[in-house]
């Protein structure tokens, strides 16, 4: 394969890697309904809605995203807002939270209770959307949320009118489906190139694009929404799918011919293969927290190693 095609492949790989690994910010947050947030970590695992401590026990935060790192302890989140005069929509923009118990209050009166998360069927959501979402009935002025999950606790909270919610998510949905369309077109075209040119680099590239696309689908829960909405048990093994990033490593390895061009660097690069395999094995044996930690520390190394390898080879040649 000539140098021109090499650089085309590298540019396209970078495009998919950037989209696949980056977090997104959707819409204009200034249009959302304002609210106060405080939280409490139940280290004793003993509190319920009837005996949860109130007032000074909750820690106030000005952030609308609560990040508590890795913990399997239940976390209670208290949301206070002006008594709503119309129905609103409450959403938690994290597709990987296991269990959500939501209690809606007007004063001290409990209006309703809802449950959701990736341990519940997809139809438990008010709107059939990839992030958990709930109806806030008019008159609601307080929401209490109990969250428990394996892995990282990240709770992005949003309250908006239905119009603003639609406006914000309509555009990112279009972006995603264009992205998946391009991924599918890339996969199909490279399969045709392989059968035509008989160069195995096309197969490696197909696997690379597929891996980044499937990881993006997992992160935004499109897999749950469209593939197994009635079988949330499959979500227990979501972390195993991140083992697909081994195909990104494989493609970079074969494209740059690291074994030959960077023989001294290759032993370090090759360590990424067993790390990817360990994530899959640990996930299958329900060692979720360990698998997530390995993934967290490993995934940033992939683009760094790939870019560093490309730069070093470019300098050598």
């Amino acid at each position: 394969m000539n140098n021109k095609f090499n650089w085309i492949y590298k540019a396209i790989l970078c495009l998919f890697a950037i989209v696949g690994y980056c977090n997104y910010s959707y819409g204009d947050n200034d249009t959302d309904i304002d609210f106060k947030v405080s939280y409490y970590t139940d280290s004793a695992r003993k509190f319920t809605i009837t005996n949860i401590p109130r007032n000074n026990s909750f820690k106030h935060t000005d952030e609308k995203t609560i990040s508590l790192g890795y913990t399997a302890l239940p976390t209670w989140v208290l949301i206070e807002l002006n008594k709503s005069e119309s129905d609103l929509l409450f959403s938690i923009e994290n597709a990987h939270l296991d269990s959500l118990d939501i209690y809606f209050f007007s004063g001290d009166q409990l209006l309703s209770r809802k449950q959701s998360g990736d341990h519940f069927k997809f139809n438990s959501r008010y709107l059939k959307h990839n992030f958990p979402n709930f109806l806030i009935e008019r008159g609601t002025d307080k929401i209490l949320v109990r969250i428990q999950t394996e892995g990282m606790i990240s709770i992005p909270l949003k309250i908006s009118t239905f119009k603003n919610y639609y406006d914000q998510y309509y555009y990112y949905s279009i972006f995603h489906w264009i992205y998946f369309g391009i991924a599918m077109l890339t996969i199909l075209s490279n399969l045709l190139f392989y059968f035509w040119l008989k160069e195995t680099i096309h197969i490696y590239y197909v696997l690379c694009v597929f891996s980044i696309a499937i990881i993006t689908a997992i992160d935004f829960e499109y897999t749950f929404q469209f593939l197994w909405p009635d079988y949330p048990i499959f979500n227990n093994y979501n972390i195993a799918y991140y083992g697909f990033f081994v195909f990104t490593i494989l493609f970079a390895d074969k494209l740059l011919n690291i074994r030959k061009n960077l023989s001294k660097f290759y032993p370090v690069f090759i360590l990424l293969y067993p790390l990817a395999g360990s994530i899959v094995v640990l996930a299958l044996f329900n060692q979720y927290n360990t698998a997530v930690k390995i993934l967290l520390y490993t995934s940033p190394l992939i683009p760094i190693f790939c870019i560093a390898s490309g730069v070093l080879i470019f300098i050598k040649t």
Side-chain angles (χ1 to χ4, degrees), residues 215-240:
I215 289 171
T216 302
I218 289 288
D219 277 339
F220 289 89
E221 220 163 36
Y222 292 121
T223 48
F224 187 25
Q225 183 176 3
F226 296 109
L227 298 183
W228 52 78
D230 295 325
Y231 300 96
I233 189 172
F234 291 130
N235 293 327
N236 295 341
Y237 305 101
N238 272 346
I239 193 66

Side-chain angles (χ1 to χ4, degrees), residues 180-214:
F180 288 123
I182 294 173
M184 181 61 68
L185 181 62
T186 303
I187 289 171
L188 293 176
S189 62
N190 275 269
L191 285 175
L192 291 175
F193 288 151
Y194 169 72
F195 290 118
W196 180 27
L197 302 173
K198 303 301 182 183
E199 294 187 6
T200 55
I201 191 66
H202 293 286
I203 294 298
Y204 295 131
Y205 186 57
V206 164
L207 293 173
C208 171
V209 173
F210 171 79
S211 68
I212 297 175
I214 197 67

Side-chain angles (χ1 to χ4, degrees), residues 40-48 52-53 72-76 146:
Y40 175 81
T41 301
D42 182 8
S43 57
R45 300 174 181 262
K46 65 179 181 179
F47 293 113
T48 66
I52 181 71
L73 295 174
T75 299
W76 291 84
R146 183 185 186 273

Side-chain angles (χ1 to χ4, degrees), residues 144-190:
L144 196 59
V145 185
R146 183 185 186 273
I147 299 168
Q148 188 162 11
T149 191
E150 294 288 335
M152 180 176 289
I153 293 284
S154 178
I155 314 167
L157 305 166
K158 180 174 287 188
I159 297 177
S160 57
T161 65
F162 282 85
K163 181 182 183 304
N164 287 341
Y165 186 86
Y166 174 81
D167 289 344
Q168 291 168 20
Y169 290 104
Y170 173 76
Y171 293 105
Y172 101 78
S173 296
I174 291 177
F175 171 81
H176 270 166
W177 291 115
I178 291 174
Y179 167 74
F180 288 123
I182 294 173
M184 181 61 68
L185 181 62
T186 303
I187 289 171
L188 293 176
S189 62
N190 275 269

Side-chain angles (χ1 to χ4, degrees), residues 12 22 34 42 48 55 74 129 132 166 204 213 233 264 270 289:
I12 297 175
C22 287
D34 192 29
D42 182 8
T48 66
N55 302 325
H129 191 267
Y166 174 81
Y204 295 131
I233 189 172
K264 294 182 179 179
I270 204 71
N289 275 339

